[in-house]
Amino acid sequence: MVIRDASTKLLQLAKKFPVVGLLGPRQSGKTTLAKDLFSKKPYVSFENQDTVLLALNDPRAFLKQYKNGAVFDEIQRAPQLLSYLQELVDSHTKKSNLFVITGSQNLLLLENISQTLAGRIAFIQLLPFSIAELAKTSFKKQALDSFILKGGYPRVYQQRIAPRDYYPNYLLTYVERDVRQIKNISNLGLFQRFLKVCATRVGQQINYSSMANDCGIDQKTVLNWLGILEASFIAIRLQPFYKNLGKRLLQMPKLYFYDTGLCCSLLEIENEKHLANHPLRGALLENLILLELLKGRLNQGLRSNLFYWRDRTGNEIDILIDQPSGAIPVEVKSASTFNSDFLKGINYWQKINPKVKTSYLVFTGKDGETDRTKILNWRNLDKIKSK
């Protein structure tokens, strides 16, 4: 069993809040973690339609069975239950954890919780396995292209399922079940095409007009469907960095995926040899590094502090870690031989932000260091201070 880095924070929060929420993509390990850490609590899955009907038809009678708490899995299938859950929590004398709820939809779930359990619930977002978590297992010696191709979904490793077998079926289930629940999309074939178009834009600034033309839909639909991908933990829009927070919405975000294996499947990359020669390999590595930094934050119950930066003259930083002391630049390169040109963007950033003393270059070669930049192999991301 892979020990999840989010376990420590989840147990800490459970001592302080009556309800803890575990959110993340479908099959990212939420159920396994909840059952493992809260094994003494009754487990209820709302994937079972009979359970959903019982909960919705008579919620008070349903919750009376679980006066001392429970694990409610995939609660977004019975969101009306949350308001009644509030009554039970408020009337209970026990101040520590009662309920653990999980959900594979983000914004849809949060809308309901914000009206009912505000101040009573703490969240952890659990993404698929990180490199740090897999480093504690027999998979730690995998090559880079293997990590990118496999992604981090637990079943790929625990059941030793080939990515070309796992991800197409995962995507089919996602489109047929989760997408229909979030929004009634009549043409699922067109939505699947949209997913593939998104994969071809990985690591790029989003051009809504271009995506709309490629998919045969309007820009409003592109925005709505990107919202669905974010709400269901499929895609991320990485926002641009500005010192003036109000300006961040003016520049287009960049598009990434919550799992590189999923993105590779959409790009129809079936093996490591194909990936090694693929024109988007650099963008996929950038996606992988972004995910690892993001997982490091989320596993501690922290929000993302990651952005990118690009000015009008073409200067660019792949990832910026926003901190009170200043934004720390991180450049990502797929090469294994260091070239001083790799530091061009970082050097410019340090020139216009002289107070920033730390910067990182992540690539596939050996660790090293310049006067102001730490050069790291992709396996050593734990050396990046992003907290």
Side-chain angles (χ1 to χ4, degrees), residues 21-235:
L22 196 54
L23 305 180
R26 178 177 291 281
Q27 298 181 22
S28 64
K30 302 184 300 295
T31 302
T32 300
L33 183 59
K35 283 184 172 181
D36 180 55
L37 296 184
F38 306 95
S39 57
K40 294 182 180 180
K41 293 183 182 294
Y43 171 77
V44 181
S45 173
F46 288 99
E47 294 279 23
N48 186 316
Q49 191 59 34
D50 290 338
T51 303
V52 173
L53 291 174
L54 285 171
L56 297 184
N57 288 338
D58 195 348
R60 286 191 173 89
F62 178 82
L63 288 174
K64 192 174 288 186
Q65 304 173 75
Y66 307 105
K67 288 182 178 180
N68 294 315
V71 175
F72 287 161
D73 200 10
E74 300 295 345
I75 191 69
Q76 78 274 358
R77 297 188 177 278
Q80 297 91 328
L81 195 64
L82 293 171
S83 59
Y84 297 93
L85 194 63
Q86 176 192 347
E87 293 179 14
L88 180 58
V89 167
D90 289 347
S91 65
H92 208 283
T93 56
K94 186 178 178 182
K95 300 302 181 184
S96 59
N97 179 253
L98 285 171
F99 292 93
V100 179
I101 62 176
T102 80
S104 55
Q105 293 171 18
N106 193 354
L107 300 180
L108 180 67
L109 185 60
L110 290 174
E111 284 177 6
N112 291 285
I113 288 177
S114 64
Q115 300 172 16
T116 58
L117 291 172
R120 304 168 182 86
I121 186 168
F123 286 106
I124 287 283
Q125 291 188 28
L126 186 71
L127 301 185
F129 290 154
S130 66
I131 292 175
E133 288 170 333
L134 289 172
K136 305 168 189 174
T137 72
S138 60
F139 297 101
K140 63 183 178 182
K141 295 183 179 180
Q142 285 186 107
L144 172 60
D145 287 343
S146 178
F147 272 114
I148 294 175
L149 186 66
K150 287 184 176 180
Y153 278 91
R155 289 189 181 181
V156 172
Y157 295 90
Q158 294 169 343
Q159 306 297 326
R160 297 185 181 271
I161 304 174
R164 63 177 178 272
D165 295 327
Y166 177 78
Y167 286 107
N169 288 293
Y170 180 94
L171 284 163
L172 182 63
T173 303
Y174 163 71
V175 170
E176 292 290 343
R177 296 181 63 183
D178 293 357
V179 172
R180 284 185 186 275
Q181 185 179 0
I182 297 173
K183 195 175 185 68
N184 185 21
I185 297 176
S186 57
N187 193 334
L188 290 178
L190 191 58
F191 185 81
Q192 288 176 312
R193 180 181 176 184
F194 171 74
L195 277 168
K196 289 183 176 292
V197 169
C198 285
T200 65
R201 304 299 206 280
V202 64
Q204 300 177 26
Q205 284 185 310
I206 301 174
N207 185 321
Y208 296 103
S209 175
S210 174
M211 291 182 71
N213 291 335
D214 288 351
C215 296
I217 54 180
D218 56 38
Q219 291 189 46
K220 183 179 179 180
T221 302
V222 170
L223 285 165
N224 287 337
W225 286 4
L226 281 172
I228 292 173
L229 297 187
E230 287 185 307
S232 50
F233 296 98
I234 296 295

Side-chain angles (χ1 to χ4, degrees), residues 315-317 331 340-349:
N315 293 297
E316 183 175 5
I317 299 293
E331 276 290 295
S340 59
D341 287 345
F342 294 167
L343 301 178
K344 182 180 178 181
I346 288 177
N347 290 337
Y348 183 80
W349 178 262

